[in-house]
Amino acid sequence: MGYTVAVVGATGAVGAEMLNILAERQFPADKVVALASSRSVGRDVSFGDQTLKVSNLEEFDFSEADIALFSAGGSISAEYGPKAAAAGAVVIDNSSFFRMHEDVPLIVPECNADAVAGYTKRNIIANPNCSTAQLVVALKPLHERAGIKRVVVSTYQSASGAGGSGMDELFNQTKGIFVNDEIEPDTFTKQIAFNVIPHIDVFMDDGSTKEEWKMVAETKKILDPKIKLTATCVRVPTFVGHAEAVNIELEKPLSADEARDLLREAPGLMVVDKREDGGYITPVECVGEYATYVSRVREDPTIDNGLNIWVVSDNLRKGAALNAVQIAEVLINRFLKKAA
Ligand code: A2P
């Protein structure tokens, strides 16, 4: 007997990838339920070779589900996550709502799979922010080997990080610019086509944005509270795939060659680093892939034990849907036992 899995936000950019990845990885589900708002009831969504009819989240009885993957925004998670958990479904939540709650584990399986055990406190597990997920996969092996003191990261985040409406806005603005349409920002705060915007999520009191704060707080929770991190998060006009330029100060010396070898062996990572034209990965090349790619590995001679790397991953996959399904896999393989 397999599991019943509910996907909340099944009509969204991440929800669609959750369905794709459940099918691709042959997650042992007897039944997959696609849930969204009342607006989408009866719509078809793809699940592998099949299509599923979307049902209304408000009317779904979560006692029918073993696992509920949520990606419909923080307010939906806040309202329905605890209800689903109380009804007996283990909630794997992609919103930021529960991430920093002490009694909710925040998981990237390559980094802290054992911490999934903490799900029993609330029946909820949090998925990190997209830009954090790919970063910690790359930092983990370096931290284990040489101890990370400080990280300076600049992100180049695609429009899909703002959901389907972000991708639509980039597409429509790009087309519109060629016919002199007036630019009317909506999902983004300024023109996104042919532009970059140094602002993701709301501003905090100290002048950083919430996206930047998330990278700091979530890296500490997942990897090590001792790691100091400072981030500048920037929205760029790509559709899918986040890139990050990462400067790392280590406790111990680690050459670029050693780092490359280490990263090559680490789970979830692919190193493409040829030091020649095109010998690195760009966002369009990582779309639809599971791996987090590392390129441009080099020493930073301006500090002791300094390293620079370039990290690229599909933000809808490792940054969201893939990580959520990997958590579900850890859960069923190690914690939820279904009678055969
Ligand atoms: P719907 O299409 O019915 O609005 P994205 O992140 O790509 O913008 O997608 C957001 C997802 O969250 C969609 O699947 C959307 O469903 C879902 N969603 C938004 N508001 C609600 C709601 N009130 N109840 C259930 N699902 C919602």
Side-chain angles (χ1 to χ4, degrees):
M1 220 174 82
Y3 297 85
T4 296
V5 180
V7 175
V8 179
T11 53
V14 172
E17 284 301 335
M18 285 172 163
L19 292 168
N20 285 338
I21 290 169
L22 286 167
E24 274 170 30
R25 292 171 76 95
Q26 300 181 333
F27 190 87
D30 278 349
K31 193 173 171 199
V32 175
V33 185
L35 300 170
S37 75
S38 54
R39 298 178 289 273
S40 302
V41 170
R43 242 185 83 179
D44 287 333
V45 289
S46 302
F47 173 59
D49 299 338
Q50 310 167 40
T51 48
L52 304 176
K53 289 263 179 241
V54 174
S55 304
N56 190 348
L57 168 65
E58 281 172 32
E59 288 164 11
F60 183 66
D61 175 2
F62 279 95
S63 67
E64 289 173 23
D66 300 292
I67 296 172
L69 305 178
F70 272 69
S71 191
S75 58
I76 297 296
S77 294
E79 182 179 351
Y80 289 92
K83 286 183 189 164
V90 181
V91 170
I92 301 174
D93 182 37
N94 191 51
S95 83
S96 61
F97 189 78
F98 296 106
R99 287 182 196 149
M100 297 315 294
H101 289 207
E102 253 175 46
D103 49 4
V104 173
L106 177 64
I107 303 293
V108 172
E110 290 86 347
C111 299
N112 63 343
D114 291 347
V116 167
Y119 85 90
T120 50
K121 290 186 196 141
R122 293 200 50 193
N123 243 15
I124 300 175
I125 302 169
N127 212 31
N129 184 42
C130 42
S131 45
T132 308
Q134 66 183 65
L135 178 68
V136 294
V137 173
L139 293 184
K140 167 82 173 170
L142 302 173
H143 188 50
E144 268 183 357
R145 172 68 68 87
I148 294 176
K149 276 166 84 170
R150 178 168 183 260
V151 178
V152 182
V153 55
S154 302
T155 70
Y156 306 73
Q157 297 182 225
S158 65
S160 58
S165 64
M167 288 197 277
D168 290 346
E169 191 158 317
L170 173 59
F171 183 76
N172 291 326
Q173 271 185 17
T174 306
K175 274 195 316 182
I177 279 173
F178 288 109
V179 291
N180 285 327
D181 277 354
E182 202 176 316
I183 301 290
E184 285 173 15
D186 180 17
T187 296
F188 301 114
T189 51
K190 295 211 178 198
Q191 175 181 326
I192 183 65
F194 306 102
N195 200 11
V196 298
I197 307 173
H199 172 194
I200 301 178
D201 209 331
V202 296
F203 276 92
M204 313 280 290
D205 287 344
D206 69 354
S208 60
T209 62
K210 185 102 183 267
E211 186 81 356
E212 291 156 357
W213 174 84
K214 285 179 209 164
M215 291 192 81
V216 176
E218 294 177 17
T219 299
K220 286 177 184 288
K221 181 163 174 177
I222 296 164
L223 276 189
D224 188 340
K226 290 200 290 296
I227 294 177
K228 291 184 191 166
L229 187 144
T230 180
T232 301
C233 292
V234 181
R235 189 72 72 192
V236 301
T238 51
F239 282 97
V240 177
H242 287 356
E244 297 174 342
V246 191
N247 178 260
I248 304 160
E249 185 179 352
L250 298 158
E251 308 265 2
K252 298 182 207 149
L254 188 71
S255 71
D257 285 344
E258 288 170 315
R260 213 176 285 109
D261 288 346
L262 204 58
L263 293 164
R264 227 175 235 127
E265 297 300 315
L269 290 176
M270 294 273 284
V271 175
V272 177
D273 191 18
K274 289 211 181 112
R275 297 188 172 185
E276 63 187 33
D277 291 357
Y280 39 80
I281 292 290
T282 59
V284 292
E285 294 157 287
C286 75
V287 176
E289 300 290 330
Y290 288 157
T292 293
Y293 292 88
V294 181
S295 305
R296 305 290 324 279
V297 181
R298 62 210 192 274
E299 287 147 37
D300 169 10
T302 66
I303 47 169
D304 288 341
N305 309 325
L307 211 59
N308 284 310
I309 58 175
W310 171 251
V311 182
V312 181
S313 197
D314 182 328
N315 53 297
L316 300 177
R317 290 198 156 217
K318 186 57 196 169
L322 171 63
N323 198 69
V325 174
Q326 285 178 300
I327 294 171
E329 289 168 351
V330 173
L331 194 65
I332 61 165
N333 290 333
R334 292 173 51 179
F335 300 98
L336 287 185
K337 298 275 178 237
K338 269 265 176 193

